[in-house]
Amino acid sequence: MLREKMSRIVAENTSPIRQMCDRRQTTVQMSTAGACTPPTLGQLLKRVGDVRKEATGDETPVHQVLDVSDAGMELRALPFVLSFSNLTYSVKNRRKMTLPSVFSSGQRLPVPATTTSIEPTAGETLSTKTRVLLNDISGEARDGEIMAVLGASGSGKSTLIDALANRIAKESLKGTITLNGEQLESRLLKVISAYVMQDDLLYPMLTVEETLMFAAEFRLPRTLSKSKKKMRVQALIDQLGIRNAAKTVIGDEGHRGVSGGERRRVSIGIDIIHDPIILFLDEPTSGLDSTSAFMVVKVLQRIAQSGSVVIMSIHQPSYRILGLLDRLIFLSRGHTVYSGPPTNLPQFFADFGHPIPENENRTEFALDLIRELEGSPGGTKSLVEFNKTWQDMKRVHHAVVPSPTHGLSLKEAISASISRGKLVSGATNTDTSPTSMVPRYANPFWIEMAVLSKRSFINSRRMPEIFGIRCGAVMITGFILATVFWHLDNSPKGIQERLGFFAFAMSTTFYTCADALPVFLQERYIFMRETAHNAYRRMSYCLSHALVSLPALIFLSFAFAAITFWAVGLSGGSSGFFFYFAIILASFWTGNSFVTFLSGVVPQVMLGYTIVVAILAYFLLFSGFFINRDRIPSYWIWFHYISLVKYPYEAVLQNEFHDPSKCFVRGIQIFDNTPLGVVPDSLKEKLLNSMSNTLGIKITSSTCVTTGVDILKQQAVTDLSKLDCLWITIAWGFFFRILFYFSLLLGSKNKRT
């Protein structure tokens, strides 16, 4: 016989839930007629199986809520209670300083005594002012219920959600947050919770089904088979009510896709794919029509009934949505003005002296009254004080039953939830710490890399115009260079033209990499959302980002090299061509890595383009083409050695002029590019004879005066070999990829301070 009554009753009489309850009631005789433990989201999603059994190698585990066939086992509720008390958060803003008013007539208006001096309060200075965003906020949220935070813009709704979701630095937030009476560690909260942002941050060219499938690949463990992940995604699509849009791309401004309500439900779906215990949402109905907003909250009600704690902020819920909410917290400028169930609102405001008229939306009336009080001289202080008195009175007159945790520790509650299908990415072990019960990441990094790479390839393949424009720019540039520098000869003029070609070609490879700048800037907030709750490692993202870029770089490098090498008439044959191709590929790799690093540091696209163009111009200036290394001032020589253009430029020069037997200037050609170049050849030969007699060296019109090695010496390209330049160029690329990783590590904390 059961000693404890189940804590929740399924509110919605949907056929899947009813069938599941009927099956369980035929197996176990319930002591309370009609009582049924609400199925978890895992059971609703085709019973994907117990993860612990998957880890032991059982490919077809039997998923059960609780095994009650043993007469000695008690069936009991396993709720989670998230409690928060005395939450206080303040920020310091720079105080605006004003000068005394001076009028043209020479007279000054009297200044009120209250504005003649600024007396800073505790923690303030004359230049800063403290603004309290949360002031002594307390409450609790239980699984199976939706707690909504309401208030006008600037009331502190999003700040409270961020505080509960550990998105505010601990040193800045005062107060306590506990789950089942135990302090929540940051690492554990990341694993057992999910946070849905107000903006829908999704890849535009992926379909709804693909988006959810990639989320399943990230959040569900590799011990779960591919087919079961697909079954979970398909059931979640039905749960979210987006079956008709499953094959439709998400879309953006330039591509037609799903509706706003469907986008919002997809955003929720990717964060609940692993069935979290706690779900935070920042205004999930913002920007939606009333029907779409109601459907979104209806989905959230189902999620809560599956055994999750749902906490959301909402601006102004409709009457239908209000019927789905279980607990409300009204905020006004960081203070609590009401906390309790929606059914108590009429009594609360009636006792306050402002009864809610019949047939009027309760929340609209409450928000209008709060706004009216905020505009009054006393503000909402009277309502805040009344709320405290009213809550104390309710506690005295009504015996408040403590939250029914039934003596379960946090570890026991999490373990029981995992056994029922919650936290699909978790797996219990023998450690006594709740934090160790679920892994930090669901998959090893090589699987994360594979999934990230696949997602990037699919998204890029469906936007071929981006690669097409980049490929067209590279090929057109190569064609122009090939036709301008067509079949250069080995004359002194040909030497200068070759130097100019190499300088322009190598710098062009870097400039054409600037298109990589907006790639991460567009994905930044998607990356921050996914890594905030450990969907994958930052290292996996960096490695996959580099891996995905290589095929395009190889194609562009080969196309540019093939167009220009033989058309310009460069030397070296096939071996010379492959080295030329290799150094161009290395340049593309380094340029792409450099621009990618800047995208991780610079927040705006236009600012990033300005910085890229300026720095690459400096690199070209100090590369050695415009001024030789020997002629660069000592106080600028350091810039020469960090120039990214220097090393590929010197590498192609050595590839072109490395042969000491190849002659570039013979006999009378030494007079070319001088005023004597226009005199007749007979006179040039006489000048050569005179020079030979003076120098004691026989110089004829066919004597080799300048070889390729001499040109390298003239250009001061003597300190590194061409292979050294190649490896250094490649190393620069890896260096900037490492810097990109650290920029992600330091710049994606996603927390308020």
Side-chain angles (χ1 to χ4, degrees):
M1 181 176 178
L2 301 175
R3 298 181 182 179
E4 300 174 3
K5 186 179 180 180
M6 304 307 293
S7 63
R8 299 178 300 272
I9 295 179
V10 180
E12 201 172 304
N13 189 25
T14 57
S15 57
I17 298 178
R18 184 174 63 252
Q19 293 171 4
M20 198 172 295
C21 291
D22 293 342
R23 286 196 295 269
R24 265 184 286 161
Q25 288 179 347
T26 59
T27 305
V28 182
Q29 296 298 323
M30 307 297 292
S31 62
T32 304
C36 174
T37 302
T40 67
L41 187 59
Q43 296 159 349
L44 291 174
L45 305 183
K46 308 294 187 183
R47 297 186 180 186
V48 294
D50 194 331
V51 176
R52 294 179 299 171
K53 293 184 179 181
E54 291 284 346
T56 61
D58 187 358
E59 291 298 325
T60 57
V62 179
H63 186 80
Q64 297 177 345
V65 178
L66 283 175
D67 184 6
V68 294
S69 59
D70 189 351
M73 177 175 287
E74 298 178 355
L75 184 63
R76 58 184 180 179
L78 304 171
F80 288 91
V81 179
L82 180 69
S83 301
F84 50 96
S85 59
N86 309 117
L87 294 184
T88 302
Y89 173 60
S90 59
V91 295
K92 291 184 179 181
N93 296 330
R94 186 175 297 276
R95 190 190 299 272
K96 293 183 179 180
M97 306 299 291
T98 58
L99 296 176
S101 300
V102 180
F103 294 87
S104 57
S105 61
Q107 297 178 350
R108 302 173 66 180
L109 291 177
V111 181
T114 55
T115 63
T116 55
S117 63
I118 302 176
E119 294 293 337
T121 60
E124 295 185 359
T125 65
L126 288 174
S127 60
T128 61
K129 182 179 181 180
T130 300
R131 180 186 177 192
V132 179
L133 301 182
L134 297 178
N135 194 328
D136 198 27
I137 307 295
S138 300
E140 71 173 22
R142 305 178 185 181
D143 71 330
E145 299 179 348
I146 298 179
M147 187 183 82
V149 184
L150 296 89
S153 299
S155 61
K157 302 189 301 295
S158 298
T159 305
L160 178 58
I161 298 294
D162 287 347
L164 298 176
N166 192 35
R167 291 163 64 89
I168 296 179
K170 289 184 178 180
E171 58 271 14
S172 302
L173 180 67
K174 298 178 182 179
T176 59
I177 303 174
T178 60
L179 183 62
N180 284 18
E182 300 183 27
Q183 289 284 345
L184 267 176
E185 296 183 19
S186 176
R187 176 185 168 186
L188 177 62
L189 183 61
K190 282 186 177 182
V191 178
I192 68 174
S193 69
Y195 186 100
V196 180
M197 297 181 180
Q198 183 174 351
D199 298 323
D200 299 321
L201 305 173
L202 304 168
Y203 283 90
M205 299 312 297
L206 298 181
T207 66
V208 169
E209 186 176 8
E210 289 170 341
T211 301
L212 295 175
M213 193 64 206
F214 280 119
E217 294 285 354
F218 288 133
R219 301 308 299 262
L220 304 186
R222 60 173 177 161
T223 53
L224 212 60
S225 64
K226 186 82 170 181
S227 60
K228 290 184 178 180
K229 291 180 180 178
K230 290 182 179 179
M231 291 171 60
R232 186 172 181 82
V233 168
Q234 294 302 320
L236 182 57
I237 289 175
D238 293 330
Q239 172 86 355
L240 297 172
I242 50 177
R243 170 60 60 187
N244 293 334
K247 301 296 183 180
T248 307
V249 296
I250 300 298
D252 57 9
E253 294 82 0
H255 304 84
R256 187 175 179 83
V258 297
S259 66
E262 291 166 338
R263 285 173 62 94
R264 188 59 48 85
R265 279 176 276 169
V266 174
S267 296
I268 296 172
I270 60 179
D271 283 313
I272 66 169
I273 191 71
H274 66 303
D275 201 1
I277 292 174
I278 308 174
L279 178 61
F280 302 101
L281 305 101
D282 185 13
E283 297 201 19
T285 61
S286 176
L288 303 181
D289 59 80
S290 60
T291 301
S292 298
F294 175 75
M295 294 178 67
V296 167
V297 180
K298 193 71 176 176
V299 169
L300 297 179
Q301 185 188 51
R302 295 172 190 158
I303 296 170
Q305 291 171 351
S306 73
S308 295
V309 179
V310 178
I311 304 174
M312 59 182 284
S313 62
I314 188 169
H315 185 65
Q316 196 163 345
S318 64
Y319 184 81
R320 292 192 300 169
I321 291 178
L322 184 63
L324 304 177
L325 307 179
D326 300 287
R327 292 174 183 264
L328 303 178
I329 293 182
F330 281 87
L331 298 180
S332 173
R333 297 177 180 174
H335 294 80
T336 303
V337 294
Y338 174 77
S339 177
T343 54
N344 287 352
L345 278 173
Q347 181 183 353
F348 175 81
F349 284 103
D351 293 345
F352 182 63
H354 292 76
I356 302 177
E358 294 184 6
N359 301 324
E360 184 166 347
N361 189 305
R362 300 171 184 175
T363 56
E364 290 182 0
F365 175 85
L367 292 172
D368 290 342
L369 179 60
I370 292 171
R371 290 191 189 97
E372 182 180 344
L373 292 175
E374 287 177 346
S376 64
T380 56
K381 183 178 180 181
S382 59
L383 187 57
V384 173
E385 295 298 330
F386 175 78
N387 174 63
K388 294 179 181 179
T389 305
W390 195 81
Q391 297 292 347
D392 293 339
M393 183 179 62
K394 293 284 290 185
R395 294 189 187 97
V396 172
H397 288 81
H398 302 279
V400 180
V401 180
S403 301
T405 59
H406 299 289
L408 289 176
S409 67
L410 182 56
K411 173 182 170 60
E412 292 171 337
I414 294 177
S415 177
S417 292
I418 292 176
S419 69
R420 296 188 305 156
K422 303 290 289 182
L423 289 179
V424 180
S425 61
T428 58
N429 56 32
T430 59
D431 200 313
T432 59
S433 171
T435 305
S436 63
M437 296 179 60
V438 284
R440 187 173 183 180
Y441 298 97
N443 298 288
F445 79 92
W446 60 84
I447 292 182
E448 295 173 351
M449 280 184 55
V451 176
L452 285 166
S453 300
K454 180 181 178 181
R455 183 175 68 175
S456 297
F457 274 124
I458 293 176
N459 196 60
S460 300
R461 189 180 71 243
R462 292 176 182 169
M463 291 189 291
E465 62 274 10
I466 296 178
F467 176 75
I469 292 174
R470 184 181 183 187
C471 182
V474 171
M475 296 183 72
I476 290 175
T477 302
F479 174 78
I480 293 175
L481 289 175
T483 52
V484 170
F485 297 96
W486 181 263
H487 286 178
L488 297 179
D489 55 28
N490 294 330
S491 65
K493 289 185 178 180
I495 295 173
Q496 293 299 320
E497 291 167 351
R498 287 174 191 269
L499 296 177
F501 165 76
F502 288 134
F504 190 88
M506 294 304 103
S507 61
T508 297
T509 58
F510 287 93
Y511 277 108
T512 53
C513 291
D515 70 316
L517 185 67
V519 173
F520 177 71
L521 290 176
Q522 294 173 351
E523 299 179 4
R524 180 194 298 272
Y525 294 104
I526 298 178
F527 165 83
M528 292 174 66
R529 183 201 65 200
E530 292 175 337
T531 55
H533 288 271
N534 296 349
Y536 48 80
R537 297 167 180 83
R538 292 173 177 84
M539 178 62 73
S540 303
Y541 181 85
C542 291
L543 293 176
S544 68
H545 193 280
L547 185 65
V548 168
S549 65
L550 284 178
L553 298 182
I554 293 173
F555 179 84
L556 295 176
S557 302
F558 186 82
F560 186 82
I563 292 173
T564 58
F565 185 82
W566 287 284
V568 176
L570 303 182
S571 62
S574 59
S575 61
F577 169 77
F578 282 110
F579 182 83
Y580 178 67
F581 160 69
I583 197 64
I584 291 177
L585 176 59
S587 301
F588 271 118
W589 157 252
T590 301
N592 183 271
S593 301
F594 171 69
V595 174
T596 301
F597 160 65
L598 284 182
S599 70
V601 177
V602 179
Q604 297 178 354
V605 175
M606 293 308 299
L607 180 60
Y609 278 130
T610 303
I611 295 175
V612 167
V613 171
I615 294 180
L616 290 180
Y618 302 149
F619 285 160
L620 179 60
L621 175 63
F622 290 98
S623 64
F625 171 71
F626 293 102
I627 181 171
N628 288 356
R629 183 185 73 244
D630 299 337
R631 303 280 296 174
I632 297 177
S634 58
Y635 47 83
W636 281 117
I637 194 63
W638 60 273
F639 211 120
H640 170 74
Y641 288 103
I642 68 170
S643 171
L644 300 182
V645 182
K646 160 188 164 63
Y647 300 100
Y649 174 67
E650 292 187 358
V652 292
L653 286 186
Q654 294 189 63
N655 189 54
E656 182 69 17
F657 300 113
H658 70 285
D659 188 358
S661 63
K662 188 174 182 179
C663 186
F664 288 89
V665 179
R666 294 181 180 274
I668 59 176
Q669 288 181 330
I670 64 174
F671 300 111
D672 293 353
N673 297 329
T674 68
L676 296 177
V678 297
V679 302
D681 290 345
S682 58
L683 183 56
K684 292 179 182 178
E685 291 180 358
K686 292 181 179 180
L687 290 173
L688 286 178
N689 291 331
S690 300
M691 293 174 59
S692 301
N693 295 331
T694 304
L695 298 174
I697 301 175
K698 183 62 175 178
I699 303 177
T700 64
S701 58
S702 60
T703 302
C704 183
V705 178
T706 303
T707 63
V709 176
D710 296 326
I711 296 175
L712 294 178
K713 291 180 180 179
Q714 293 173 6
Q715 298 298 316
V717 182
T718 56
D719 53 343
L720 295 171
S721 66
K722 67 178 185 179
L723 288 178
D724 290 336
C725 293
L726 174 63
W727 294 124
I728 291 175
T729 304
I730 296 174
W732 272 117
F734 282 103
F735 174 73
F736 285 116
R737 290 288 172 176
I738 294 173
L739 291 182
F740 176 58
Y741 168 73
F742 282 108
S743 70
L744 298 185
L745 202 62
L746 300 176
S748 60
K749 297 298 182 182
N750 203 21
K751 281 190 177 185
R752 304 191 191 191
T753 56

